[in-house]
Amino acid sequence: MFGPKVKISKDLMEKIKKYSALAGYSSPDEFVLHALEKEIAKLEEAGSDEEIKKKLQGLGYIS
């Protein structure tokens, strides 16, 4: 798969590798893609930008 890349720390990558293997994903990439899709789907349920901001605050992504 080719496309945009995101830099992450070595520590986080080690956790991703560990959890993706434990969960039975075929690769860390597949695990990260699935996790991000789930989080984005939660945000897409919002009806407005304000509601999205509230959800992001509730999830701790923004203060």
Side-chain angles (χ1 to χ4, degrees):
M1 176 187 320
F2 299 101
K5 295 182 178 186
V6 176
K7 289 184 179 181
I8 57 174
S9 69
K10 281 186 175 183
D11 290 343
L12 180 57
M13 188 64 206
E14 291 305 313
K15 290 177 185 176
I16 290 168
K17 287 178 181 177
K18 175 182 175 181
Y19 298 135
S20 66
L22 286 172
Y25 285 87
S26 65
S27 69
D29 287 353
E30 182 184 31
F31 173 73
V32 170
L33 182 62
H34 184 233
L36 289 174
E37 285 174 342
K38 285 180 63 175
E39 289 301 314
I40 296 297
K42 291 178 189 173
L43 296 174
E44 290 180 333
E45 295 171 357
S48 68
D49 287 352
E50 271 309 306
E51 195 174 334
I52 290 171
K53 287 180 183 177
K54 287 181 183 176
K55 286 181 177 257
L56 287 169
Q57 287 173 334
L59 293 169
Y61 291 119
I62 58 175
S63 53

